[in-house]
Amino acid sequence: MTMVSSAPRDPRRTGRYVYATAVFLLCAWVLGPLYLLFVNTLSSPEAVNSFPKTYVPEFNFESIEFFMEFAGMTGALWNSIQVATLTMIMSILVGAPAGYALSRFEFKGKETFRILILLTRAFPLPLLALPLAVLFIRTGLDDTIFGLALVHTTLAVPFAVLITFSLFSGIPMELEEAAWTLGCNRLTAFIKVVLPLILPGITASAIFAFVISWNEVFAAAVLTIENRTLTAFLLQNLDTSALHLKFAGGFILVVPALIFIFAVRKYLFAMWGIANR
Amino acid sequence: MQARYLPYVLIAPVSVFLGLFFLYPFYLVAQTAFYDGAGWSLKNFQEVTSYWKFPISFKNTLWLAAVVVPIQLALALLMATMVNAMKKGRDLVLYIWTIPLGISDLAAGIIWLAIFEQSGFLNSMMHGLGFIDRPTALISYQNPTLIFVAIALAEIWRATAIMLVILVAGIGLIPREYYEAAQVFGAGRWKQFLRITLPLLRPSLSTALVLRVILAFEVFAVVQALGGTLFPVLMSETYAYQFELLNGSAAAAVALIILGISIASTIVILRVLRVPKGATI
Amino acid sequence: MAEIKIKNVAKNFASYQALNDINLTVSDQEFMVLLGASGCGKTTLLRIIAGLETATQGEVWINDRRVDHLPPKDRGIAMVFQNYAVFPHLTVFENIAFGLRMHKHPSAEITKRVHRTAELMHIEQLLKRYSGELSGGQRQRVAVARALAMEPDVILMDEPLSNLDALLRLEMRAELKGVLAESKTTAIYVTHDQVEAMSLADRISVMNQGRIVQASDPVDIYRNPAEKFVAGFIGNPPMNFLVADKQADGRWNVAGQSYDGPSCAENTLDFAIRPEDVVLAETGISAKVNVVEPLGVHLLVTCDVNGAQFRATLDSDANIGRGDTIALQPQLDRIRWFEPSNGMRQSLEKNDV
């Protein structure tokens, strides 16, 4: 009988080691570039333009200050916030009722309507901005916050419909029916029963709409001239602006994204899970 | 009764909205593209396709999609299966991996600019390792391959997350018993992935691919931030026609070409990944 | 006084006819069970009474008031749902109080009623909890309490026990019967479980393919099924059927045996007998035993009689094995006869007590 002197190499343990390393590397792949952007943003303009780079931020806010004082930048930031907020409100107000209708009713034309919604995903939507630019000039909507918000709502509303559809579908019809038998009409049952249950999900899809608008570049660049949004402003000045300005701008663009993903992380998968079908 | 009309009342706002801002503009684009001032013609298309930059931007757009999307798909599948097997730290890892989902293409371009610009982190690192003495311009017309690599990396970095989310959601819908049954019949991990995960994931795969491929044809801001005019793509051509050349008809024609390849690839993807009726989960 | 009258109600879903000319009267304080297999229309009928579904035609009357055009809230009904429908965002107290608040009862009254019904359903200690913290049985109690707190004229229940496990179902069944008898409410209860129906009902309406086949008290339904469908549906195992050939007027040949039966024009009838209404005998219907299942109280024996399946529940002491040929003698006053063409029972005056 031979004694095994050392513990046999467990292939499963090796596998787990490889697995953990892979997870770590993929996390680094995502976070690394972000970290480098933060290093650049939190360094002085001199450091940003110097060579070689350090890999630790100086925690110097000159770049950010420079960015905020740059002519037109705060205006663009404010425009972005307004357009995104308006988009968020409009896409939920317009999209949620349709999501409710899809989840609760069988009606003629439902399939056609669903296809129209899905179709929007198969089309390069920002291109819409081209004819709308002409149309908006005629109607006086050109270069306005509202006009751009309308286009961004077109981008966001199919998502709002599909996401709210899946959210409403997650709430059993029985709950509403129970409320009806207990003295509610359609509206009060919706307010007392459906709304409280759906509110977190609605918030998540509202934030989703906000970010769609916040991040949109092409339509914003096409439709605004004086009232540039942040993305459009940065795009316009890409060739000419200094590095530290670009990085600070990128940083401001990224921050809401981080908060967004954190805020909706619970809903992200549920939203896509059902919206897929 | 009132309930019969309610669904139509509820979908009316979206229908009007999409009619006004989705269907009607597309009609206008088509009209502009096919109209040459006197009547219907393909003149605008002939004009844009005969422009010397068109073959380059067309090729660039397709190449970029052809390289980026398969890598993203593989990466997203890998990440999704890894997440699926994860017990501890799943939420944290998922949060980190989905961060790029919220990041705009412009911001992604700027982030990767921090790495690839002349005084950027890549040059700094090579300097630190002693490969180079002085920073060289990485993104220049002498380095078209490197521009392509930088843009591809930025796209892969930014837009894998959307596929990941769709695939994780899709894998979540596959009942565990199928895997247990496969194990009982002797399938290892790799076989389980090939025989269970992939086929049952087809609806999610086609959603993810359609969405991603269309977005890949629309690539714009990343390219603008990293390559500028050094790397023309169809979308930047549209933008240039509209603003620099003030030629709306040509812009519309390019837009329709983008639309055409988008629809064509959507149809191909849906065909290839079609699930027979009744074979869904 | 809460009487429900359903007059000529029909319901079509697209081309599919879910309900076909339903007429039914449920008298005050009666416990009516709608019994049938899934898809027979029982739930649709209940939902039409509740106002959750609109009938294609016909009238629904509650308390001499026509209600079919009214929304559910104005019908004086309360309902218990299959999946309980306990609101997840409200505590048990608020769930029970929900309907009372909607009807603007004073808050002292609400508190009093909630506590009273909670006590009745033995859930006083759960009032502060949320639905997610309750077991299935507890949720069921909340759902019933919520309906009872309304003190409705009519309480409608849609398979309320079907999601509970067997033991709990038995317990809740007895409790439900007591509570509802106490509350003096008229009740309509939908189920596919015939034992549940038998034990709860004052009267059962057996439904099949969108119509009510028979509405009567449980014993009558069991003993005197109006149609062959009911005979084959009620009872576990259900009635046995054998072909009877006419020998003479009022005299029928069943598997070589001769029995008194109805006098009618037909040449063949279906002879029907419940498995427990036959006994082992020296002579009788000759049956070849295929399966013997000892069930404790008795033996369930599945035999073959002239190619037809025939079940008998016999004394457990009977020494019977597979392959034996036995003789079975039916209890004569329990024999029922059905017309093969339409499945209707052929009445024999002396059998119809």
Side-chain angles (χ1 to χ4, degrees), chain A residues 69-111:
Chain A
E69 283 157 17
F70 191 82
M73 198 60 92
T74 46
L77 186 61
W78 176 232
N79 285 340
S80 268
I81 293 172
Q82 286 182 79
V83 173
T85 308
L86 211 55
T87 302
M88 175 172 92
I89 294 168
M90 285 199 292
S91 55
I92 290 303
L93 285 184
V94 171
Y100 183 79
L102 281 180
S103 83
R104 287 295 191 254
F105 297 98
E106 289 303 323
F107 53 93
K108 257 202 193 104
K110 182 175 177 174
E111 214 32 50

Side-chain angles (χ1 to χ4, degrees), chain B residues 16 37 45 58-59 62 64 73 76 81 146 149 153 171-172 211 226 243 247:
Chain B
V16 169
F45 290 93
F58 190 75
K59 199 185 75 190
L62 290 189
L64 202 56
L73 180 65
T81 38
L146 203 57
V149 169
L153 278 175
I171 286 181
L211 206 63
L226 281 169
F243 286 102
N247 185 345

Side-chain angles (χ1 to χ4, degrees), chain A residues 178-179 182-184 192, chain C residues 86-87 90-118 123 127 142-150:
Chain A
L182 291 167
C184 292
K192 294 235 163 207
Chain C
V86 173
F87 301 131
L90 300 176
T91 60
V92 168
F93 183 98
E94 282 304 323
N95 260 285
I96 302 176
F98 189 91
L100 303 171
R101 290 204 197 285
M102 289 312 299
H103 285 93
K104 307 232 169 2
H105 286 278
S107 95
E109 162 81 7
I110 291 175
T111 314
K112 206 177 80 193
R113 278 217 223 170
V114 170
H115 280 283
R116 196 172 62 215
T117 43
I123 47 171
L127 285 175
V142 175
V144 175
R146 186 174 64 185
L148 287 175
M150 300 285 289

Side-chain angles (χ1 to χ4, degrees), chain C residues 164-176:
Chain C
L164 300 179
D165 61 56
L167 219 60
L168 207 55
R169 191 150 57 204
L170 219 61
E171 182 191 322
M172 275 301 288
R173 195 169 81 194
E175 209 170 311
L176 212 53

Side-chain angles (χ1 to χ4, degrees), chain B residues 122-276:
Chain B
L122 184 60
N123 265 336
S124 300
M125 204 164 72
M126 294 210 291
H127 178 80
L129 295 172
F131 294 145
I132 52 168
D133 302 327
R134 288 188 310 112
T136 52
L138 298 170
I139 297 174
S140 75
Y141 66 95
Q142 291 147 316
N143 266 334
T145 321
L146 203 57
I147 296 177
F148 184 85
V149 169
I151 292 172
L153 278 175
E155 275 290 281
I156 294 167
W157 179 81
R158 176 184 75 90
T160 302
I162 184 70
M163 288 183 118
L164 175 67
V165 169
I166 296 172
L167 295 184
V168 167
I171 286 181
L173 293 174
I174 302 175
R176 263 192 202 282
E177 293 100 85
Y178 295 165
Y179 292 100
E180 284 160 6
Q183 266 172 33
V184 171
F185 288 116
R189 271 180 173 269
W190 176 242
K191 278 270 184 272
Q192 286 175 41
F193 176 76
L194 280 186
R195 296 289 172 82
I196 309 282
T197 310
L198 275 188
L200 290 178
L201 207 54
R202 267 181 302 186
S204 305
L205 282 174
S206 73
T207 310
L209 275 174
V210 167
L211 206 63
R212 219 11 248 144
V213 167
I214 289 165
L215 289 174
F217 292 147
E218 284 176 50
V219 67
F220 175 60
V222 170
V223 175
Q224 291 291 303
L226 281 169
T229 50
L230 295 173
F231 192 84
V233 289
L234 288 178
M235 204 69 173
S236 59
E237 284 311 284
T238 314
Y239 187 76
Y241 272 123
Q242 183 82 7
F243 286 102
E244 282 147 37
L245 305 170
L246 298 176
N247 185 345
S249 308
V254 182
L256 273 198
I257 291 170
I258 299 176
L259 180 63
I261 55 175
S262 296
I263 292 172
S265 45
T266 302
I267 291 170
V268 169
I269 293 166
L270 291 180
R271 266 287 155 97
V272 170
L273 292 173
R274 186 182 45 202
V275 183

Side-chain angles (χ1 to χ4, degrees), chain A:
Chain A
M1 210 204 220
T2 43
M3 292 283 287
V4 180
S5 54
S6 64
R9 262 188 54 205
D10 181 357
R12 292 229 306 251
R13 206 159 132 192
T14 324
R16 222 175 300 158
Y17 183 70
V18 171
Y19 175 76
T21 315
V23 171
F24 176 79
L25 283 177
L26 284 167
C27 287
W29 153 251
V30 171
L31 292 178
L34 274 178
Y35 174 75
L36 297 179
L37 176 73
F38 292 151
V39 170
N40 264 347
T41 309
L42 297 176
S43 300
S44 61
E46 295 75 44
V48 170
N49 290 297
S50 71
F51 185 85
K53 286 280 195 320
T54 52
Y55 298 97
V56 209
E58 302 173 302
F59 292 104
N60 175 309
F61 295 97
E62 274 176 52
S63 289
I64 299 257
E65 277 166 28
F66 181 81
F67 170 82
M68 296 309 276
E69 283 157 17
F70 191 82
M73 198 60 92
T74 46
L77 186 61
W78 176 232
N79 285 340
S80 268
I81 293 172
Q82 286 182 79
V83 173
T85 308
L86 211 55
T87 302
M88 175 172 92
I89 294 168
M90 285 199 292
S91 55
I92 290 303
L93 285 184
V94 171
Y100 183 79
L102 281 180
S103 83
R104 287 295 191 254
F105 297 98
E106 289 303 323
F107 53 93
K108 257 202 193 104
K110 182 175 177 174
E111 214 32 50
T112 318
F113 180 72
R114 256 177 69 95
I115 288 169
L116 173 71
I117 297 292
L118 291 174
L119 209 61
T120 58
R121 281 211 257 171
F123 279 63
L125 286 171
L127 293 173
L128 298 178
L130 297 175
L132 285 175
V134 184
L135 208 64
F136 280 2
I137 291 172
R138 268 189 256 151
T139 48
L141 280 171
D142 60 309
D143 203 14
T144 60
I145 300 294
F146 183 64
L148 183 56
L150 282 176
V151 177
H152 283 176
T153 304
T154 313
L155 293 176
V157 94
F159 286 96
V161 172
L162 292 171
I163 292 168
T164 53
F165 163 56
S166 81
L167 290 169
F168 284 126
S169 300
I171 294 183
M173 188 68 207
E174 260 193 6
L175 288 183
E176 266 181 278
E177 290 178 345
W180 298 345
T181 64
L182 291 167
C184 292
N185 57 33
R186 266 190 189 276
L187 187 65
T188 49
F190 183 84
I191 293 168
K192 294 235 163 207
V193 175
V194 179
L195 207 55
L197 293 171
I198 208 105
L199 213 53
I202 292 275
T203 314
S205 54
I207 296 173
F208 197 79
F210 184 95
V211 171
I212 286 178
S213 165
W214 176 263
N215 283 344
E216 204 283 326
V217 184
F218 189 86
V222 171
L223 289 173
T224 60
I225 297 150
E226 294 295 318
N227 292 312
R228 288 278 192 210
T229 63
L230 190 56
T231 49
F233 191 87
L234 285 172
L235 183 79
Q236 188 188 26
N237 295 301
L238 268 181
D239 299 338
T240 51
S241 57
L243 279 175
H244 51 271
L245 191 73
K246 290 184 192 175
F247 294 138
F251 176 77
I252 302 287
L253 276 178
V254 162
V255 171
L258 296 182
I259 301 168
F260 153 67
I261 297 294
F262 189 75
V264 304
R265 67 194 185 288
K266 249 173 58 195
Y267 291 93
L268 225 42
F269 301 97
M271 278 175 348
W272 278 103
I274 312 176
N276 266 347
R277 316 191 119 206

